[in-house]
Amino acid sequence: SFLGNSMVSDWAESLIQTLGRDIQNAAEESIKRSGVFHLALSGGSSPLALFQRLSRHHHGFPWKHTHLWLVDERCVPFTESDSNFGNIEKHLLQHVRIPYVNIHPMPVQRNQRLCDIEDMGNQTYAEDIFALVGNASFDFVLLGLGNDGHTASIFPGKEDGIYGRSTVLLTESPQKPHQRMSLSLPLINKAQKVAILVLGKGKHEILTLISRAEKTPKKWPIHGVNPTPGKLVWYIDYETLLR
Ligand code: 6PG
């Protein structure tokens, strides 16, 4: 158990295999129940191996009935290597048969401008979620943990993403690229299942910090990830745990 939630730990390759299988099981369950699977994915480097695994090893995966959403995005064109959607496209979408209309990238670039407050791309995204995802409750949300303790694109000390409404926010990262778009934690917390994937010894320190800190969401956004009990699972590899 980790911070009172379920935890799966293993060597990275097996951990990714388990997570891939858990996502596929969640997809099959959701489709049986509602005919559709709404999956929201994070970016960063950790999920790349998962994307590759999902594209290569899960031949029975019900992509046809899967809708793919973004948890967060860096405000750069999709063609840049920093782009979360760009990476999902390259490592996953190009290799699986998912209907074009089921793919929902965050609208970070319109009319040559990036994540512009006046452009309201974030609100459009929130509207799409509320229109297409039943009760705005994603079936599966994949999160990561940044070395500085951010999750999704909610950064430590930024309370507006932790409290407040179920919505899509424009946020700012201390690291480049600074401008981000992110699901708010209240929106993430409505999900049926939430997974937090933590890989590599580089994450040992932050994991130790947050596990020892008092569980007030004020400091560490990850403590504000509180879906209904039993719905959150941490996937942490041995490298991170043991260092
Ligand atoms: C982002 C991600 C972010 C990610 C963490 C971990 O765009 O920054 O969606 O929330 O999960 O930063 O990223 P790494 O796996 O690269 O450490």
Side-chain angles (χ1 to χ4, degrees):
S1 137
F2 188 74
L3 294 165
N5 299 287
S6 314
M7 176 175 89
V8 181
S9 52
D10 208 329
W11 296 108
E13 207 186 314
S14 312
L15 187 72
I16 292 286
Q17 196 176 331
T18 305
L19 177 56
R21 203 197 50 219
D22 290 352
I23 295 176
Q24 182 156 356
N25 288 339
E28 279 156 11
E29 263 173 46
S30 296
I31 291 165
K32 210 183 281 169
R33 199 178 54 239
S34 65
V36 65
F37 179 53
H38 289 286
L39 172 65
L41 296 175
S42 284
S45 55
S46 306
L48 292 184
L50 173 73
F51 301 159
Q52 284 161 0
R53 168 131 210 127
L54 284 175
S55 63
R56 291 195 193 125
H57 296 276
H58 292 257
H59 296 300
F61 197 100
W63 291 112
K64 212 176 138 196
H65 302 286
T66 298
H67 277 253
L68 202 136
W69 301 84
L70 273 281
V71 166
D72 68 335
E73 186 57 279
R74 296 113 183 258
C75 297
V76 295
F78 295 145
T79 46
E80 282 182 27
S81 61
D82 269 337
S83 163
N84 288 345
F85 181 72
N87 280 316
I88 293 171
E89 191 173 44
K90 182 168 161 202
H91 296 283
L92 181 62
L93 300 180
Q94 284 182 3
H95 312 278
V96 299
R97 297 177 135 258
I98 176 165
Y100 182 72
V101 291
N102 291 11
I103 303 172
H104 308 277
M106 285 182 160
V108 291
Q109 189 184 26
R110 297 200 299 190
N111 310 323
Q112 310 290 325
R113 298 164 81 185
L114 291 172
C115 288
D116 188 328
I117 301 235
E118 279 158 34
D119 189 41
M120 300 293 181
N122 58 322
Q123 302 222 5
T124 312
Y125 204 65
E127 279 162 21
D128 287 353
I129 293 169
F130 279 87
L132 292 173
V133 182
N135 300 318
S137 165
F138 290 105
D139 296 303
F140 199 104
V141 173
L142 176 69
L143 299 176
L145 176 66
N147 292 341
D148 60 358
H150 75 268
T151 192
S153 277
I154 311 291
F155 293 84
K158 296 285 162 65
E159 290 177 30
D160 55 338
I162 302 178
Y163 305 107
R165 293 185 306 125
S166 295
T167 189
V168 180
L169 302 161
L170 292 175
T171 68
E172 218 175 295
S173 163
Q175 312 286 325
K176 278 190 180 174
H178 297 295
Q179 286 178 290
R180 310 283 175 112
M181 210 181 269
S182 182
L183 306 185
S184 68
L185 293 190
L187 183 51
I188 290 170
N189 287 337
K190 288 160 82 83
Q192 296 304 314
K193 290 198 167 75
V194 178
I196 305 176
L197 175 63
V198 189
L199 291 181
K201 44 180 172 258
K203 298 281 161 73
H204 180 83
E205 206 173 312
I206 184 68
L207 200 69
T208 310
L209 254 176
I210 61 158
S211 62
R212 292 196 185 141
E214 231 175 276
K215 209 179 163 188
T216 52
K218 277 213 165 106
K219 179 142 168 74
W220 301 112
I222 204 95
H223 288 162
V225 181
N226 292 314
T228 314
K231 294 188 170 178
L232 171 61
V233 181
W234 286 80
Y235 295 78
I236 309 175
D237 82 332
Y238 287 158
E239 289 265 355
T240 314
L241 285 178
L242 309 175
R243 189 163 70 162

